[in-house]
């Protein structure tokens, strides 16, 4: 049996999880709070040691605790107005990157019939919905994309190898795998309709920003924070949650106050990269709408209204 966590390791992990969940409640986006809390609990619970050597387990635990400390630091910086970690959290929340993007991507992929398997020596099939999305993505020009857009997904298969012989089946299988992996990596996944509509209203200011949650201050909170002398003397670990939060709360160059205008700009930056898909039963085809097109139309309408008011 592999060794279990020591009591000290259990306390450290529990302390980190509580600190992450506490910081998640202060995020300025309501959906981001739910996503971060759910994802953090899942990451802490999903770990199963299995049958692995002790040295690998120790190394993996060290890496995972390091990732948790990094996540806590990024959360705290985002809550103090640091633009870069805040946008990263919004990208994770709205499936531009990360685990949730891969979950939504599965809905686009071709699923073989029950009892059949995909032949590794044949090109992977793309669903009509996926093809429609790629065709729309080829024409779209969303700004600030987090990954290069796919402009062509044609599959070029050389007829012969360097020895002027037919390609081996293993080589063909690798070409197919690499091609399909590249297509999936560069596909910009669509959001569900309800989520896309909500993000659109946030980006356009139709849903008002309610401000950030006031931090709960405990009576003993100031006394529990370590002093610089305690850290320097080694009385408190440099990577403890208290030190991480204290360092992250220091003034950050380029940080912003959470105003309605700032959050609207953040939501618009993410919404511009989000498509939504719907099935047109009359035309028998998939329709794709991009957030960047909605924002451009809103700018034109706003400019037109200003022109009319000026003439009056």
């Amino acid at each position: 049996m592999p060794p279990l966590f020591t009591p000290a390791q259990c306390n450290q992990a529990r302390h980190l999880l509580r600190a992450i969940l506490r910081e998640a409640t202060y995020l300025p986006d309501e959906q981001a709070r739910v996503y971060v809390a759910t994802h953090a609990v899942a990451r802490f619970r999903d770990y199963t040691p299995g049958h692995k050597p002790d040295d690998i387990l120790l190394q993996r635990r060290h890496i995972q605790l390091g990732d948790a400390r990094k996540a806590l630091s990024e959360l705290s910086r985002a809550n103090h107005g640091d633009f870069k970690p805040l946008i990263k959290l919004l990208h994770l929340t709205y499936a531009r990157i990360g685990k949730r993007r891969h979950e939504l991507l599965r809905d686009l992929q071709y699923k073989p019939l029950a009892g059949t398997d995909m032949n590794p020596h044949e090109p992977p099939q793309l669903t009509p919905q996926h093809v429609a999305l790629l065709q729309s993505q080829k024409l779209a020009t969303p700004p600030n994309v987090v990954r290069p857009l796919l402009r062509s997904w044609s599959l070029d298969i050389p007829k012969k190898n360097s020895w002027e012989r037919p390609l081996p089946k293993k080589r063909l299988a690798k070409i197919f795998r690499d091609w399909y992996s590249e297509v999936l990596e560069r596909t910009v996944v669509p959001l569900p309709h309800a989520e896309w509509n909500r993000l659109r209203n946030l980006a356009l200011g139709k849903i008002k920003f309610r401000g950030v949650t006031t931090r709960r201050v405990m009576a003993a909170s100031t006394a529990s924070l370590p002093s610089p002398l305690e850290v320097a003397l080694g009385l408190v670990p440099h990577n403890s949650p208290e030190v991480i939060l204290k360092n992250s709360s220091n003034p950050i160059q380029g940080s912003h106050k959470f105003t309605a205008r700032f959050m609207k700009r953040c939501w618009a930056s993410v919404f511009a990269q989000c498509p939504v898909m719907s099935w047109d039963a009359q035309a028998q085809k998939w329709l794709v709408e991009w957030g960047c097109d909605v924002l451009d139309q809103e700018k034109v309408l706003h400019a037109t209204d200003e022109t009319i008011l000026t003439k009056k």
Side-chain angles (χ1 to χ4, degrees):
M1 290 290 294
L4 299 175
F5 279 101
T6 65
Q9 290 174 328
C10 290
N11 290 333
Q12 188 179 21
R14 191 181 298 112
H15 200 179
L16 274 171
L17 177 58
R18 287 176 176 173
I20 290 173
L21 295 179
R22 186 165 52 250
E23 280 298 311
T25 62
Y26 301 125
L27 287 171
D29 183 277
E30 182 179 350
Q31 188 164 331
R33 297 174 205 158
V34 177
Y35 170 81
V36 171
T38 305
H39 183 68
V41 172
R43 286 296 301 272
F44 273 81
R45 284 180 176 172
D46 285 349
Y47 176 68
T48 52
H51 301 285
K52 294 183 176 67
D54 293 353
D55 56 341
I56 294 180
L57 288 176
L58 290 173
Q59 182 181 7
R60 186 175 179 184
R61 289 168 184 168
H62 178 73
I63 293 174
Q64 288 179 323
L65 289 175
D67 291 342
R69 295 186 191 99
K70 181 181 177 181
L72 176 59
S73 176
E74 288 184 342
L75 270 175
S76 181
R77 285 161 49 207
N79 282 331
H80 285 85
D82 195 346
F83 183 77
K84 187 175 179 180
L86 177 59
I87 285 295
K88 180 182 177 181
L89 282 172
L90 293 178
H91 282 158
L92 288 167
T93 302
Y94 294 102
R96 300 306 90 196
I97 58 175
K99 182 179 180 180
R100 186 157 183 262
R101 174 186 175 273
H102 290 281
E103 292 173 349
L104 294 179
L105 190 59
R106 294 193 194 104
D107 297 335
L108 297 174
Q109 298 180 41
Y110 172 76
K111 300 175 181 62
L113 296 175
T116 61
D117 297 324
M118 293 181 65
N119 191 337
H121 305 307
E122 293 181 3
Q125 298 185 41
L126 299 179
T127 61
Q129 184 181 9
H130 198 172
V131 172
L133 178 63
L134 293 177
Q135 289 173 344
S136 174
Q137 183 177 316
K138 184 177 180 180
L139 301 175
T141 55
N144 305 321
V145 289
V146 293
R147 57 174 28 83
L149 293 177
L150 186 68
R151 298 305 183 186
S152 174
W153 60 93
S154 60
L155 178 58
D156 298 326
I157 305 175
K159 295 181 179 179
K160 296 182 180 180
N161 60 13
S162 57
W163 299 91
E164 294 299 322
R165 296 174 182 173
L167 288 180
K169 290 184 177 181
K170 287 186 177 181
R171 173 78 184 282
L172 275 175
K174 185 178 186 307
I175 291 176
F176 295 151
R177 285 197 308 270
D178 292 345
W179 170 79
Y180 194 53
S181 176
E182 181 73 9
V183 170
L184 295 180
E185 177 63 25
R186 296 198 178 191
T187 298
V188 181
V189 298
L191 281 177
H193 279 267
E195 189 174 347
W196 190 85
N197 290 333
R198 177 183 173 276
L199 184 58
R200 176 198 60 194
N201 292 335
L202 288 170
L204 296 179
K206 295 182 179 179
I207 297 179
K208 293 184 178 180
F209 176 54
R210 298 179 180 179
V212 295
T213 304
T214 304
R215 285 187 173 267
R216 300 180 296 275
V217 180
M218 295 181 293
S221 60
T222 54
S224 62
L225 288 176
S227 66
L229 180 59
E230 290 177 318
V231 177
L233 293 176
L235 301 177
V236 179
H238 289 269
N239 53 12
S240 67
E242 294 87 352
V243 175
I244 293 172
L245 292 175
K246 185 177 181 181
N247 292 338
S248 301
S249 64
N250 292 333
I252 304 170
Q253 185 177 5
S255 60
H256 299 78
K257 292 184 178 180
F258 286 115
T259 61
R261 182 179 180 182
F262 171 66
M263 286 307 304
K264 182 180 175 182
R265 180 162 64 91
C266 292
W267 282 317
S269 175
V270 179
F271 177 66
Q273 307 173 39
C274 297
V276 66
M277 300 190 72
S278 57
W279 174 250
D280 188 342
Q282 185 175 1
Q284 291 293 300
K285 66 177 183 179
W286 287 97
L287 302 179
V288 185
E289 188 175 7
W290 288 81
C292 56
D293 295 335
V294 174
L295 294 175
D296 290 341
Q297 293 171 7
E298 185 69 17
K299 289 179 181 178
V300 172
L301 290 175
H302 185 68
T304 304
D305 292 342
E306 285 188 345
T307 303
I308 294 175
L309 291 174
T310 303
K311 289 182 179 180
K312 287 183 179 180

